[in-house]
């Protein structure tokens, strides 16, 4: 077993190797000019498999992490995205085609709707990266984010090693870009109505804002260069938009990890929060807005005299106060899940849509397929004098339950909603993205209904008089609907994420998180522990002992008697630094991942659960 806290990287001559299983995917190949590939076709190249699904913000972070490596080693490395769906919608082939274009995936993608290759490689988490050497052996596995530097080092080692052996083959890879499509918008994200009646839309894939005439179709102007960047006139996959009291628009510049303002009067763009770098565990969580890192802000709303931020990348809500020029965490722990209560203790899962409505701020919490809200805490809410905020859930059951079911909110189901819109009667419309529908929740009756279907990945909606204008993201347009008097009848359907449960033995369960520091690095404990492990369970009664936070990457758990199945939530972090005693300020990197591991208690099950953060389980 690899020592989970201090194992050194294996030198090239002793590197563990496992023969890589074949690549299988019923959906076929994308970005290859309709060619199919086997591992034998790729022999001589370094292959990096990126197991991803397009709903997953961590997977999107990894796509961006890999862009530099992909370009630098294009003649020796082939990155293959193995699309492994969580939601039913993600198993539709056209949805994968759309996502590959939407997120500018510039490498081959294998569409694996039945998780065949996922199972062959024993993957447990999105995202997971697997490195295969030029001879077809697996030499490393990495779960989560922050591994690009480690993989880059490994690639350089493999290039040197296999060039010397004569087993490295250089040349063009199998990537064939798709033909571009001409439309005025391309995968738009969010919209708002400007005071003059025009629409402002975040044209996310084209890295621009677009002002449209009141007809919702005619382009008035484009804002931004249209080239991904963090310059004075550039955006990178912008999403959320909100009007500020001074007439400016605040923009969630998502992949730049920043907030920008756009002045419709002057056309000026200004950065007001974020550094352009992604927030990592241990970074400041409050302070001067331009000095604090953010993480994939997805939507923004003006509420309670400040800007609220759906910080999808860390499963939190933050706020930005223009008066003081400061940002800070407002709700959430960074743990991914559905937990209500005092704001500081709540759990979210990729909050992606916000809507202010009087004394409530509504939230589309996408990965839990939930509609939630923030309100002022009252008596008995655990916030002392009631001056804080509390989080509540109106619709939604958790990370793995989703579907399209109307009726009483307690049993209603959504599927990965990205937007929420306050309606004049006090109810809210939900852009139920992966159900291709517009839903309605009425707090007065506690009922969920369907307002419209046959939309294509609706991601936001805005009110215009008695109409509601929906951002149909995957149809690249705004669609105007009259708010109906009656709901649409939809046949109810419920789903659970199809992931095989791990059979575990009752009683004691050893949890090991495997982490091997990259070559030339080590866990640096000069200033205290450089690892963190957080364990919890759904239902909480599953764990009799072993829950909570600690600094070792291993834990002795005890499963409770009488609970036969559930989900173990494991969050691990490790910081490795350059192993050079002469360097007073070594470069350090953070590796982190959250796992939700479905388990079933069985007398013949395993008594050891291994999760690989980086390395191979020996």
């Amino acid at each position: 077993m690899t020592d989970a806290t201090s194992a050194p990287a294996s030198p090239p001559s002793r590197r563990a190797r496992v023969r890589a299983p074949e690549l299988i995917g019923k959906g076929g190949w994308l970005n290859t000019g309709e060619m199919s590939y086997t591992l034998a076709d790729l022999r001589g190249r370094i292959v990096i498999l990126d197991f991803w699904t397009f709903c997953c913000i961590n997977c999107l972070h990894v796509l961006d992490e890999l862009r530099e490596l992909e370009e630098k080693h294009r003649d020796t490395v082939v990155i293959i995205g193995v699309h492994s769906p969580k939601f039913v919608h993600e198993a539709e082939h056209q949805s994968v085609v759309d996502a590959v274009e939407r997120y500018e995936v510039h490498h081959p993608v294998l569409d694996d709707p039945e998780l065949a290759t996922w199972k062959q490689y024993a993957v447990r988490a999105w995202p997971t990266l697997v490195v295969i050497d030029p001879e077809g052996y697996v030499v490393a596995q990495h779960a989560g984010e922050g591994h690009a530097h480690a993989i880059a080092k490994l690639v350089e080692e493999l290039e040197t090693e296999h060039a010397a052996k004569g087993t490295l083959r250089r040349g063009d890879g199998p990537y064939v870009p798709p033909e571009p499509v001409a439309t005025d918008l391309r995968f738009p994200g969010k919209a708002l109505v400007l005071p003059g009646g025009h629409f402002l839309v975040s044209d996310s894939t084209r890295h621009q804002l677009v002002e449209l005439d009141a007809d919702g179709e005619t382009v008035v102007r484009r804002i931004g260069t249209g080239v991904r960047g963090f310059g004075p006139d550039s955006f990178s996959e912008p999403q959320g938009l909100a009007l500020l009291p001074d007439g400016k628009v605040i923009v969630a510049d998502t992949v730049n990890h920043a907030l920008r303002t756009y002045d419709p009067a002057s056309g000026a763009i200004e950065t007001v929060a974020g550094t352009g770098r992604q927030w990592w565990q241990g970074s400041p969580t409050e302070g001067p807005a331009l000095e604090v890192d953010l993480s994939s802000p997805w939507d923004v709303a003006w509420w309670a005299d400040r800007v609220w931020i759906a910080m999808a990348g860390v499963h939190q809500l933050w706020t930005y106060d223009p008066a003081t020029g400061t940002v800070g965490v407002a709700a959430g722990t960074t743990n991914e899940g559905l937990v209500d209560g005092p704001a500081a203790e709540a759990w979210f899962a990729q909050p992606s849509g916000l809507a202010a409505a009087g004394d409530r701020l509504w939230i589309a919490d996408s990965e839990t397929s939930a509609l939630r809200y923030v309100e002022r805490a009252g008596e008995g809410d655990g916030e002392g004098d009631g001056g804080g905020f509390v989080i509540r859930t109106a619709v939604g059951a958790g990370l793995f339950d989703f579907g399209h079911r109307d009726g009483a909110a307690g049993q209603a189901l959504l599927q990965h909603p990205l937007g929420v819109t306050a309606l004049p009667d006090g109810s809210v419309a939900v852009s139920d993205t992966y159900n291709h529908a517009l839903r309605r929740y009425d707090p007065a009756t506690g009922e969920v209904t369907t307002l419209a279907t046959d939309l294509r990945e609706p991601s936001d909606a805005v009110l215009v008089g008695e109409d509601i204008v929906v951002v149909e993201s995957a149809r690249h347009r705004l669609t105007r609907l009259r708010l109906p008097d009656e709901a649409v009848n939809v046949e109810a359907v419920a789903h659970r994420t199809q992931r095989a449960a791990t059979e575990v033995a009752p009683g004691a369960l050893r949890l090991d998180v495997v982490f091997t520091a990259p070559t030339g690095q080590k866990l640096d404990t000069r200033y205290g522990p450089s690892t963190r492990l957080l364990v919890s369970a759904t239902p909480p009664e599953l764990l009799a002992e072993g829950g909570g936070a600690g600094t070792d990457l291993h834990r002795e758990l005890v499963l409770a008697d009488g609970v036969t199945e559930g989900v173990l939530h494991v969050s691990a972090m490790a910081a490795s630094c350059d192993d050079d005693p002469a360097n007073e300020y070594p470069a350090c990197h953070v590796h982190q991942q959250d796992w939700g591991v479905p388990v079933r208690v069985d007398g013949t099950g395993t008594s050891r659960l291994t999760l690989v953060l980086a390395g191979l389980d020996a």
Side-chain angles (χ1 to χ4, degrees):
M1 183 190 77
T2 302
D3 184 331
T5 58
S6 60
S10 302
S13 61
R14 295 176 47 229
R15 185 179 294 116
R17 302 199 306 172
V18 178
R19 177 63 72 179
E22 192 51 83
L23 305 178
I24 306 167
K26 189 175 181 180
W29 290 80
L30 305 176
N31 283 355
T32 62
E34 300 186 354
M35 292 288 291
S36 297
Y37 286 90
T38 66
L39 284 176
D41 298 326
L42 302 172
R43 197 62 50 82
R45 312 299 291 272
I46 300 164
V47 177
I48 300 173
L49 303 182
D50 176 14
F51 289 87
W52 71 299
T53 188
F54 63 79
C55 72
C56 162
I57 190 67
N58 312 91
C59 299
L60 303 186
H61 289 167
V62 167
L63 284 176
D64 290 311
E65 287 180 5
L66 292 176
R67 293 187 197 278
E68 182 179 348
L69 182 146
E70 186 170 31
E71 183 59 36
K72 182 177 179 181
H73 298 276
R74 187 168 292 280
D75 66 333
T76 58
V77 171
V78 175
I79 296 177
I80 295 174
V82 182
H83 189 267
S84 312
K86 171 184 174 182
F87 290 98
V88 169
H89 168 64
E90 294 174 304
E92 299 171 6
H93 182 70
Q94 185 58 46
S95 300
V96 183
V97 173
D98 289 344
V100 167
E101 181 189 352
R102 180 194 297 267
Y103 297 115
E104 297 185 310
V105 179
H106 293 165
H107 50 251
V109 173
L110 176 64
D111 181 10
D112 183 17
E114 297 177 347
L115 303 182
T117 298
W118 167 287
K119 294 171 186 174
Q120 287 291 312
Y121 281 82
V123 175
R124 293 185 181 272
W126 297 279
T128 292
L129 298 168
V130 175
V131 181
I132 302 172
D133 74 11
E135 295 178 277
Y137 290 90
V138 174
V139 291
Q141 180 172 323
H142 302 263
E145 303 178 48
H147 301 292
H149 72 288
I151 292 175
K153 281 183 173 293
L154 178 57
V155 164
E156 291 172 358
E157 291 175 9
L158 291 172
E159 286 176 340
T160 300
E161 178 182 344
H162 288 274
K165 291 173 66 175
T167 50
L168 182 69
R169 176 166 58 90
R170 295 180 180 271
D172 294 333
Y175 171 65
V176 177
E179 290 293 325
V181 182
T183 54
D184 288 331
L185 301 174
R186 205 71 192 160
F187 299 105
K190 305 288 185 180
L192 60 76
V193 181
L194 294 169
H198 286 185
F199 293 95
L200 188 66
V201 183
S202 55
D203 197 18
S204 302
T205 297
R206 295 227 176 96
H207 315 296
Q208 290 181 313
L209 309 182
V210 178
E211 184 179 337
L212 301 176
D213 194 87
D215 62 8
E217 297 179 3
T218 306
V219 175
V220 176
R221 66 176 55 86
R222 295 182 178 275
I223 300 100
T225 62
V227 178
R228 182 192 297 272
F230 195 38
D233 296 311
S234 300
F235 298 98
S236 187
E237 297 182 31
Q239 287 284 343
L241 307 167
L243 275 172
L244 297 178
D246 63 4
K248 293 181 181 178
V249 176
I250 192 152
V251 183
D253 195 4
T254 303
V255 178
N256 277 328
H257 309 295
L259 299 186
R260 323 287 289 279
T261 56
Y262 164 64
D263 187 345
S266 67
I269 299 169
E270 181 183 358
T271 302
V272 296
T275 63
R277 297 183 300 271
Q278 183 183 339
W279 185 93
W280 289 99
Q281 291 287 351
S283 301
T285 56
E286 61 181 358
L290 291 170
E291 299 175 14
V292 177
D293 299 339
L294 308 181
S295 182
S296 296
W298 205 275
D299 203 6
V300 283
W302 180 260
W303 186 68
D305 297 322
R306 61 196 59 203
V307 175
W308 286 68
I309 310 163
M311 201 73 79
V314 285
H315 317 300
Q316 291 180 310
L317 302 181
W318 287 42
T319 60
Y320 162 63
D321 185 352
T324 61
T326 57
V327 293
V329 175
T333 63
T334 75
N335 297 319
E336 185 177 12
L338 195 155
V339 176
D340 289 341
E345 301 171 15
W347 292 22
F348 298 94
Q350 289 179 217
S352 301
L354 299 174
D359 59 358
R360 287 183 178 177
L361 177 69
W362 292 95
I363 310 158
D365 200 30
S366 63
E367 278 293 284
T368 54
S369 297
L371 173 65
R372 306 174 74 183
Y373 59 93
V374 188
E375 65 180 2
R376 293 280 183 185
E379 293 294 331
D381 280 325
E383 286 283 359
D385 61 5
F389 295 97
V390 65
I391 310 301
R392 305 190 195 280
T393 297
V395 183
L399 280 167
F400 304 108
D401 295 277
F402 58 93
H404 192 151
R405 186 164 63 198
D406 289 330
Q411 57 83 53
L413 293 172
L414 309 169
Q415 187 180 179
H416 198 81
L418 290 177
V420 60
T421 307
L423 301 180
D425 64 357
S427 64
V428 290
V430 180
S431 295
D432 194 6
T433 310
Y434 287 4
N435 279 327
H436 310 299
L438 191 67
R439 312 285 292 283
R440 176 177 179 263
Y441 168 68
D442 186 351
T445 64
E447 293 286 313
V448 175
T449 53
T450 297
L451 297 176
T453 58
D454 194 31
L455 302 167
R456 186 68 187 172
E457 292 192 19
S459 54
D460 196 20
V462 293
L463 286 173
V464 181
E466 295 183 355
D467 295 341
I468 189 163
V469 176
V470 180
V471 179
E472 259 195 292
S473 188
R475 284 199 177 114
H476 321 293
R477 69 188 187 190
L478 302 187
T479 299
R480 186 183 295 261
L481 305 172
R482 178 58 56 95
L483 277 172
D485 295 326
E486 296 183 4
V488 177
N489 288 322
V490 176
E491 183 176 352
V493 60
H495 301 286
R496 279 187 65 82
T497 300
Q498 298 302 306
R499 294 175 59 194
T502 299
E503 303 281 349
V504 295
L509 177 66
R510 167 84 179 196
L511 170 66
D512 285 308
V513 174
V514 175
F515 177 74
T516 302
T519 301
Q521 294 204 325
K522 67 175 183 179
L523 292 175
D524 191 342
T525 57
R526 291 177 299 170
Y527 307 108
S530 58
T531 57
R532 187 190 73 158
L533 182 65
L534 179 68
V535 181
S536 62
T538 302
E541 296 78 20
L542 175 65
L543 272 181
E545 297 178 23
T551 57
D552 291 329
L553 292 182
H554 56 83
R555 185 81 56 86
E556 298 294 340
L557 310 179
V558 177
L559 303 179
D561 294 335
V563 183
T564 58
E565 62 181 9
V567 178
L568 287 175
H569 302 283
V570 181
S571 177
M573 184 274 289
S576 62
C577 301
D578 290 342
D579 187 9
D580 182 359
N583 187 352
E584 187 178 356
Y585 302 104
C588 296
H589 302 272
V590 177
H591 317 253
Q592 66 181 53
Q593 172 61 14
D594 296 334
W595 291 268
V597 184
V599 296
R600 183 177 298 112
V601 181
D602 184 275
T604 62
T606 182
S607 59
R608 177 178 181 249
L609 175 62
T610 304
L611 303 174
V612 178
L613 179 59
L616 291 174
D617 179 23

